[in-house]
Amino acid sequence: MPAETRRPLISGNWKMNQNHYEAIQVVQKLTYLVGKDDFETVDVSLHPPFTDIRSVQTLIEADDLRFALGAQNCHSEDKGAFTGEVSPVFLQKLNVSYVIVGHSERRELFGETDAMVRDKVAAVLRNKMTPIVCVGETLEEREAGTTMDKVTKQVRAALEGCSPAQAGSLVVAYEPIWAIGTGRTATASDAQEVCAAIRSTVASLASAEAAGAVRIQYGGSVKAGTIKELMAQPDVDGALVGGASLDPEEFARIIQYRLHEPSEA
Ligand code: 13P
């Protein structure tokens, strides 16, 4: 599948920011800034904290908004004695479409392993949602020249047990850890190089068709001023945006990257 047939996906990961009142305000402001036409060419998912999801769902459905609802994490089991965890079944009941799996903050701060990520990918797929699987290297790994090894290993683990069709339905987010929340962005050509390697890993693990279909996002300090060049790369199909997605005006400009020149963004 050539790059131009993959629908771009811009995702806003709010992390642990915005209570449910604030979340409603952000979505309302975004609704004024992002028009129906914008959704003709791009998919947009919003990933509020769990406690906001019901409020955002209600707003999206009441006003027939085109934002897709997302979550930031879930457990790999559908139910059971897992105090404090959130079942993928519950997310599916809230009409969540995309679930971020294996974000580097989950991996680094909460001990999520490649095996846990693999099980969560399976759980999200089992519940008819789309996983956004995060992969990426630390600064030490980049400096040691092991970026490709790390990222390939993470992709390999995440795809274990996926059929080729399932592999093709995934979203993979390449988020170099050193670029998250730091204001440092990978250059567009570095992002392209790693995203291309992810796509060829999917080709070798699943199929050429799956590799052509899988959508690969870049994440790490994405701003309105950097999105256009990133999106011009043949293997970058979208962005996973943290800080800049909390500001409706900035996030709207990211969604509308086609309309703005980097210099005016
Ligand atoms: P920032 O855009 O704040 O760097 O966060 C990126 C990220 O982790 C999105 O998941």
Side-chain angles (χ1 to χ4, degrees), residues 11-15 100 103-105 132 134 173 175-184 217-223 239-246:
S11 303
N13 173 14
W14 296 355
K15 309 191 179 186
I100 297 172
H103 191 280
S104 62
E105 286 149 17
I132 298 180
C134 298
E175 296 207 304
I177 296 170
W178 49 270
I180 296 178
T182 58
R184 292 182 61 187
Q217 296 178 313
Y218 169 79
S221 298
V222 172
K223 302 269 182 314
L240 183 52
V241 185
S245 73
L246 299 171

Side-chain angles (χ1 to χ4, degrees), residues 61-171:
E61 292 178 5
D63 292 353
D64 205 13
L65 307 179
R66 304 271 301 270
F67 298 106
L69 191 53
Q72 300 176 14
N73 181 28
C74 70
H75 196 268
S76 56
E77 296 293 328
D78 288 350
K79 64 176 183 171
F82 302 107
T83 300
E85 290 293 313
V86 173
S87 162
V89 175
F90 304 162
L91 297 178
Q92 204 274 332
K93 279 269 177 243
L94 292 163
N95 291 343
V96 165
S97 302
Y98 296 93
V99 183
I100 297 172
V101 175
H103 191 280
S104 62
E105 286 149 17
R106 304 275 343 148
R107 294 180 190 257
E108 303 272 308
L109 305 174
F110 301 99
E112 282 193 14
T113 62
D114 280 348
M116 290 161 78
V117 171
R118 174 201 61 207
D119 292 347
K120 290 185 182 199
V121 167
V124 173
L125 289 170
R126 182 171 72 238
N127 286 287
K128 311 277 182 281
M129 298 176 289
T130 300
I132 298 180
V133 185
C134 298
V135 298
E137 81 286 4
T138 62
L139 187 57
E140 294 71 45
E141 289 161 340
R142 171 153 285 260
E143 285 171 350
T146 57
T147 297
M148 295 302 185
D149 293 344
K150 167 83 174 292
V151 168
T152 308
K153 181 171 166 278
Q154 289 177 320
V155 173
R156 187 176 293 276
L159 263 66
E160 238 180 77
C162 283
S163 68
Q166 287 175 324
S169 75
L170 298 180
V171 177

